[in-house]
Amino acid sequence: MSNTTHVDILSTLPQEVLDEIFQYLSTGERWIFASVSCSWRSLLLNWQPHWKCLSTNDHGHSIVPDIIPYIPYINKSSAKKICITTDDVWQIFKIVAFIKTYGFYAISTLDLNVEYFTTTNLETLVDTCGESLKYITIEGLDEHEANVRPDTLLISCPNLIKLNFQGCIYMDDDWKPDLKTKICHHLTDLELDFSNSDNFYELNLLAFLRAAPKLQSLTVNVDHLWATCSNIPIWIKEYCPDLTTLVLRQEFEYDEGIPPISSSITTIATEKEHDHQDRKGLQHFYLRGYNNYILFNEAVQMMILSLLDINRSQLVTLDLGGPEMICEITLTQLASSPMPSLKALQLINYNDDVTVANSSTLCTLFQPNTMPNLTHLTIFCLKSVDGSVLEAIAFNLNCLKELVLYHCENVRGEGLLQFLRQIGEKKRKVHLRSLAIRTWVSIPITEGVLEILASEENGFIEHLEELNLGAIPSTMDGCTDILRFLEAKQEKIKNNKKKMKRLDIFFLSGEFLEILSDGLTLRTDCQIKQLLAKIDQVASEWEYSEGIPELDAGISGVVRIFGRVSNLTYERS
């Protein structure tokens, strides 16, 4: 019998190669790696980046007591981040005591999703790593008198760069932030969203703004500010001259139907970022709010008008949501003079029963030179968007790369057809790269619309990288029209070898169509298979879905999905 010699190749590799291997593995995969042999276990346990984040969500491991046996392997400076998700108050005390006992002084990031984190917990933590703490996120705090408050966090952590505080505040003696003469020289990002918002209609933001002269990003629940919002533009200008991003928002029950705050914002904010570094003043402004109080809405409108007046020339992204936020007054002010830096605009209505502005006001907004460099436009649930508005967009927004029209029920087939002809025929600085049309009241995605999208002459088949279409009738004709478009795209891919980045197609279910009209011929299972195969061939990422609108939901974007297939779930033969 021959002797077989087993060579542990990994143990002979240089450290920089091992580093590269470990970085490709998830935390769970690394623990599996460590269970293979004693030598592999030793390699992992002595690899200090493995201990960078200590988390209660680490594949069944808790921090206490599970990490204690590994203390001999962990350098005190290796732990940089603590993540705790628990509703056990004693577990939090144990973890904080563990950090102090073993002297993890280099922790810079604290990420908590807890009901309790007391002032005592904070003091214990600060004794160990208070100078190192730079990033704190706290979510889910209960309204308990011992729980920490945001002003205490700012006072206790002198080098804090980012604070995200979401939860309740115990309101003894009408709490007001007490920062005294504290100046947070490093704080650039502050988010405050108090869950017990009924107690915060008169939150005085001034104390926080005074304490953060280097603040660059501020996010606040707009409900907290109805008594003070008229002062915010003045306070920002006086105390936070470096502020570039202001987000004022609310939480809504039907978030799934409403576009996220600026779906294009990340792209815009990072695109040619160096171009904006020398600008002073607000560059990104997002406001989502809906309130039944007339005085509240009037105060918010005045704040918007003041912010626009002060920052019009340097605004890069603007996201306004709510029927009172995108009214005639606001849109008229927007259209009153040029906004040369504006690249992304979102106008979001939450109630499709309310007409917030007429089409002539929107046409005025999209006149030449008002927003000459706009590249991304999203309009959600505005009845006043019709053929005339589409015509103004086509003729005057020459830099437009992305257009999203969600549930604008007066966008009809003929108006959309004319828009595509105009935007395709016109000599433009740039071509439309992303198009999303979603509505099921008017069903504007007609055979003619798909023919234009598939034609060489208009350039869509070549330049469109992302396409989102819905609702398309689940009929044989609707399926055939989409197949023609996909076949044309297939031919284009054969020449340039370039797939679409993203393709989403939403079909109205046959049951819903039968309610709307009798005598329709629904498509067959064979057609669906053929459709999925072609979608998979023309797009890198895609989703096919079928469903009906939730007509009783109150928000047009909410749907009930009966079937969904994506590039991740599609079974290829």
Side-chain angles (χ1 to χ4, degrees):
M1 181 181 294
S2 61
N3 293 325
T4 303
T5 303
H6 296 279
V7 179
D8 185 357
I9 298 175
L10 278 176
S11 299
T12 65
L13 293 176
Q15 186 60 48
E16 57 269 21
V17 177
L18 285 173
D19 290 345
E20 193 73 19
I21 292 172
F22 284 144
Q23 285 170 7
Y24 276 101
L25 301 178
S26 67
T27 304
E29 289 168 341
R30 290 200 294 266
W31 281 116
I32 294 172
F33 172 95
S35 67
V36 173
S37 69
C38 290
S39 62
W40 285 24
R41 176 183 173 85
S42 177
L43 284 174
L44 177 69
L45 297 183
N46 286 288
W47 187 63
Q48 292 306 307
H50 181 64
W51 308 110
K52 181 178 180 180
C53 177
L54 305 181
S55 173
T56 59
N57 305 319
D58 182 10
H59 298 270
H61 294 85
S62 66
I63 297 174
V64 178
D66 291 350
I67 299 296
I68 293 177
Y70 303 107
I71 287 297
Y73 298 96
I74 309 175
N75 294 339
K76 292 180 180 180
S77 60
S78 295
K80 306 290 188 183
K81 182 176 182 179
I82 298 290
C83 297
I84 305 174
T85 300
T86 182
D87 55 5
D88 184 350
V89 62
W90 296 113
Q91 180 69 4
I92 297 170
F93 273 96
K94 290 176 185 176
I95 292 171
V96 170
F98 164 82
I99 292 169
K100 182 175 182 178
T101 299
Y102 295 104
F104 292 115
Y105 65 87
I107 292 171
S108 60
T109 302
L110 183 64
D111 193 337
L112 306 178
N113 192 335
V114 296
E115 293 182 5
Y116 301 97
F117 187 74
T118 67
T119 304
T120 303
N121 294 148
L122 178 64
E123 290 171 352
T124 305
L125 200 63
V126 166
D127 285 345
T128 307
C129 57
E131 294 292 325
S132 299
L133 276 173
K134 294 180 180 179
Y135 310 97
I136 296 180
T137 297
I138 300 182
E139 299 181 9
L141 282 187
D142 200 0
E143 193 172 356
H144 190 277
E145 60 182 328
N147 272 342
V148 72
R149 292 165 170 166
D151 50 344
T152 308
L153 288 163
L154 292 175
I155 291 171
S156 303
C157 306
N159 296 312
L160 207 58
I161 294 173
K162 179 177 181 178
L163 173 61
N164 179 351
F165 187 100
Q166 300 183 49
C168 294
I169 296 282
Y170 181 69
M171 295 296 294
D172 59 334
D173 300 325
D174 293 327
W175 169 80
K176 290 180 174 58
D178 182 15
L179 290 162
K180 301 175 182 175
T181 59
K182 174 68 177 178
I183 300 296
C184 306
H185 294 285
H186 304 284
L187 190 69
T188 60
D189 195 326
L190 177 63
E191 183 167 348
L192 302 172
D193 193 348
F194 307 131
S195 303
N196 48 335
S197 57
D198 289 346
N199 296 321
F200 287 99
Y201 287 126
E202 296 186 25
L203 172 67
N204 188 349
L205 204 58
L206 181 58
F208 290 103
L209 298 180
R210 276 178 174 164
K214 300 296 183 182
L215 200 63
Q216 296 176 15
S217 177
L218 174 65
T219 301
V220 188
N221 189 321
V222 69
D223 281 339
H224 305 339
L225 305 175
W226 76 272
T228 60
C229 63
S230 60
N231 295 318
I232 286 176
I234 300 169
W235 291 344
I236 289 174
K237 187 176 181 179
E238 183 173 354
Y239 297 107
C240 301
D242 295 333
L243 192 77
T244 59
T245 302
L246 177 61
V247 180
L248 305 177
R249 68 185 183 193
Q250 289 175 319
E251 297 300 326
F252 285 87
E253 184 178 355
Y254 301 109
D255 284 342
E256 63 178 291
I258 299 170
I261 283 188
S262 297
S263 56
S264 306
I265 293 313
T266 303
T267 304
I268 295 296
T270 56
E271 188 178 77
K272 296 183 179 178
E273 188 172 317
H274 61 275
D275 291 347
H276 313 308
Q277 287 179 351
D278 296 332
R279 295 178 186 167
K280 285 288 185 182
L282 203 61
Q283 296 175 28
H284 311 285
F285 178 41
Y286 321 122
L287 191 150
R288 298 289 182 86
Y290 180 78
N291 201 298
N292 292 322
Y293 295 106
I294 295 176
L295 290 177
F296 173 87
N297 291 325
E298 288 178 349
V300 171
Q301 284 175 14
M302 291 301 295
M303 178 188 64
I304 294 173
L305 298 181
S306 179
L307 284 167
L308 288 174
D309 186 49
I310 296 171
N311 301 286
R312 172 180 294 275
S313 63
Q314 68 265 5
L315 270 178
V316 178
T317 55
L318 180 60
D319 186 323
L320 298 179
E324 301 301 330
M325 309 307 149
I326 47 175
C327 61
E328 293 281 348
I329 296 173
T330 305
L331 295 182
T332 301
Q333 174 70 5
L334 271 177
S336 63
S337 60
M339 303 181 73
S341 299
L342 195 68
K343 288 193 172 184
L345 174 65
Q346 287 200 153
L347 302 175
I348 312 297
N349 183 23
Y350 298 120
N351 187 349
D352 56 4
D353 292 329
V354 177
T355 301
V356 295
N358 59 49
S359 58
S360 61
T361 304
L362 284 174
C363 287
T364 304
L365 179 62
F366 300 126
Q367 283 305 299
N369 301 321
T370 303
M371 294 175 286
N373 295 304
L374 195 74
T375 57
H376 298 71
L377 175 62
T378 296
I379 303 178
F380 179 87
C381 210
L382 291 190
K383 290 182 177 181
S384 46
V385 177
D386 56 16
S388 64
V389 175
L390 291 179
E391 183 177 1
I393 292 171
F395 274 106
N396 301 321
L397 300 184
N398 293 321
C399 294
L400 199 65
K401 295 179 183 178
E402 177 184 21
L403 176 63
V404 179
L405 298 175
Y406 269 27
H407 314 296
C408 300
E409 63 182 55
N410 284 315
V411 173
R412 309 286 175 174
E414 187 56 40
L416 182 57
L417 194 63
Q418 188 63 26
F419 165 77
L420 292 174
R421 285 178 184 147
Q422 291 165 343
I423 208 167
E425 291 171 359
K426 202 171 184 301
K427 291 183 179 180
R428 299 169 52 83
K429 294 180 182 179
V430 295
H431 293 280
L432 202 63
R433 301 285 182 182
S434 178
L435 176 65
I437 309 290
R438 284 245 175 170
T439 181
W440 33 73
V441 175
S442 55
I443 310 183
I445 313 299
T446 63
E447 179 183 0
V449 166
L450 290 167
E451 281 181 2
I452 285 187
L453 290 176
S455 71
E456 291 273 359
E457 182 181 348
N458 293 282
F460 293 112
I461 198 70
E462 179 179 357
H463 298 292
L464 268 181
E465 298 173 350
E466 299 180 5
L467 183 61
N468 187 328
L469 296 178
I472 297 168
S474 299
T475 62
M476 290 188 70
D477 288 343
C479 195
T480 302
D481 294 340
I482 285 289
L483 281 170
R484 287 199 197 102
F485 165 77
L486 294 173
E487 287 165 359
K489 188 63 183 176
Q490 244 181 326
E491 286 299 314
K492 197 67 184 175
I493 291 171
K494 287 180 183 178
N495 297 327
N496 62 18
K497 309 296 183 184
K498 187 178 179 182
K499 284 187 173 185
M500 296 182 73
K501 288 182 180 178
R502 179 83 196 183
L503 177 60
D504 293 83
I505 298 177
F506 175 78
F507 280 90
L508 279 177
S509 77
E511 294 176 16
F512 185 71
L513 291 171
E514 286 174 345
I515 295 172
L516 297 179
S517 178
D518 294 328
L520 292 174
T521 305
L522 301 181
R523 72 215 160 156
T524 64
D525 289 343
C526 182
Q527 279 185 310
I528 296 175
K529 289 180 180 178
Q530 186 182 5
L531 188 68
L532 293 176
K534 289 195 178 294
I535 293 174
D536 191 53
Q537 291 169 11
V538 304
S540 299
E541 295 181 12
W542 58 270
E543 181 177 284
Y544 161 96
S545 56
E546 181 178 335
I548 63 173
E550 290 279 21
L551 299 177
D552 297 328
I555 297 285
S556 292
V558 180
V559 296
R560 187 189 307 164
I561 299 294
F562 294 150
R564 191 195 307 268
V565 183
S566 74
N567 57 290
L568 299 176
T569 60
Y570 178 58
E571 295 182 3
R572 298 167 182 84
S573 56

